[in-house]
Amino acid sequence: MERRLALHVLASGSRGNAAVVEDTATGAGVLVDCGICKRDFFARSAEAGFDPANLAAIVVTHEHTDHTKGLGVVLRGLAKQGVAPAVYVDDAVRAASSEVVSLEGAHDVRALHAGDALSLAGISVHVFRTSHDAAASCGFRFEAAGGDVAGFMTDTGVVTGEADEALSGVRLLALESNHDVQMLADGPYPYPVKRRVASEVGHLSNVQAAEELERLLCGELEQVVAMHISQNNNTYRLPAETLASVVARAGHPACVQAAFQDLLVSVR
């Protein structure tokens, strides 16, 4: 297998999300979500060594604003550089998102559905459904020429069989590890919000993420990034340690680290 893919997590958390999957052999990339400002997008892309001029497409997981609120400003910034990536979004998300609706006419917005296999930036992008309280939500499996594979899943209350299958055999894994169960229970959120976060259409806990990682351990897996970590109901240390303990118990060589809200994390 040729190691071609890189994952650049520009931001991950409740205040904004964006990540680039890059084919390092060509420099082309796909942006997953855009819930950050133009300044942070360009600054962290530069820090990652990714040229936004090589951005071939944007794929949107769901309509919540922490995943979409930067779409317009970033696309306008890219347009000034002569870059016009297509935006792929589920029809239900398109209808539910004012940010996506505002792109109509000025930008190339295309349909995306669970089960699709798209060819973007020379990467095969497989779309799978996740379980979240959105009009529609999805994750992605990225396959590069030569057999390199990355999996990306955030914003899901449970791991479906479809998701588990899509994430199997990946080398790079971006996996939601949103909250610590006890911190959520003891934390400041109103009870209805706590119930929503912990529900089957909420977010994965550290324990749920660890259980999924244990199922996904394989010879190909090299890098694991804990994603969408709550700043109120978790710490950056807890999910990293919880997932690392799964790897250690199995005697597996994969590296584990946390993604941050305000700092770049890149894995290759």
Side-chain angles (χ1 to χ4, degrees):
M1 177 190 66
E2 181 184 359
R3 291 173 176 80
R4 292 181 58 146
L5 294 177
L7 171 68
H8 309 299
V9 183
L10 308 184
S12 184
S14 59
R15 289 191 286 108
N17 296 272
V20 174
V21 177
E22 178 189 5
D23 184 338
T24 58
T26 65
V30 177
L31 177 63
V32 182
D33 291 335
C34 192
I36 60 175
C37 67
K38 180 175 68 174
R39 178 196 62 208
D40 288 344
F41 169 77
F42 283 100
R44 290 181 196 156
S45 292
E47 184 182 352
F50 175 72
D51 184 352
N54 293 328
L55 190 64
I58 302 172
V59 292
V60 178
T61 59
H62 65 294
E63 76 272 12
H64 291 166
T65 57
D66 56 321
H67 297 260
T68 60
K69 63 188 175 185
L71 281 168
V73 292
V74 167
L75 282 166
R76 288 191 291 273
L78 290 167
K80 290 179 180 178
Q81 300 184 6
V83 183
V87 180
Y88 290 81
V89 58
D90 188 281
D91 290 338
V93 171
R94 188 174 187 166
S97 171
S98 59
E99 287 83 6
V100 175
V101 168
S102 71
L103 305 179
E104 303 284 355
H107 302 282
D108 184 5
V109 181
R110 304 183 186 182
L112 169 154
H113 303 103
D116 283 352
L118 308 170
S119 181
L120 308 174
I123 302 169
S124 181
V125 183
H126 300 263
V127 186
F128 60 90
R129 183 71 64 217
T130 59
S131 178
H132 196 51
D133 58 350
S137 61
C138 61
F140 305 101
R141 177 184 176 94
F142 299 88
E143 299 182 358
D148 202 9
V149 185
F152 190 100
M153 182 175 67
T154 67
D155 296 82
T156 192
V158 294
V159 181
T160 65
E162 177 188 2
D164 184 71
E165 181 179 357
L167 296 174
S168 65
V170 303
R171 185 177 68 84
L172 307 178
L173 175 64
L175 177 65
E176 178 171 59
S177 192
N178 174 259
H179 62 277
D180 173 79
V181 172
Q182 195 60 51
M183 286 182 69
L184 176 64
D186 296 341
Y189 286 0
Y191 175 71
V193 178
K194 293 180 181 182
R195 184 174 57 188
R196 174 221 163 228
V197 171
S199 75
E200 292 190 351
V201 292
H203 295 276
L204 292 184
S205 70
N206 296 338
V207 170
Q208 288 173 296
E211 290 171 348
E212 175 60 9
L213 178 58
E214 191 168 16
R215 289 192 293 268
L216 294 175
L217 286 178
C218 63
E220 293 86 0
L221 187 63
E222 294 182 356
Q223 299 282 349
V224 180
V225 183
M227 301 287 289
H228 215 295
I229 296 169
S230 171
Q231 292 182 289
N232 293 309
N233 305 303
N234 214 345
T235 67
Y236 288 119
R237 176 181 59 82
L238 275 174
E241 288 184 350
T242 302
L243 297 184
S245 69
V246 172
V247 171
R249 284 197 304 270
H252 196 284
C255 297
V256 177
Q257 60 186 300
F260 295 93
Q261 182 67 81
D262 297 311
L263 296 171
L264 169 74
V265 169
S266 287
V267 293
R268 297 175 183 268

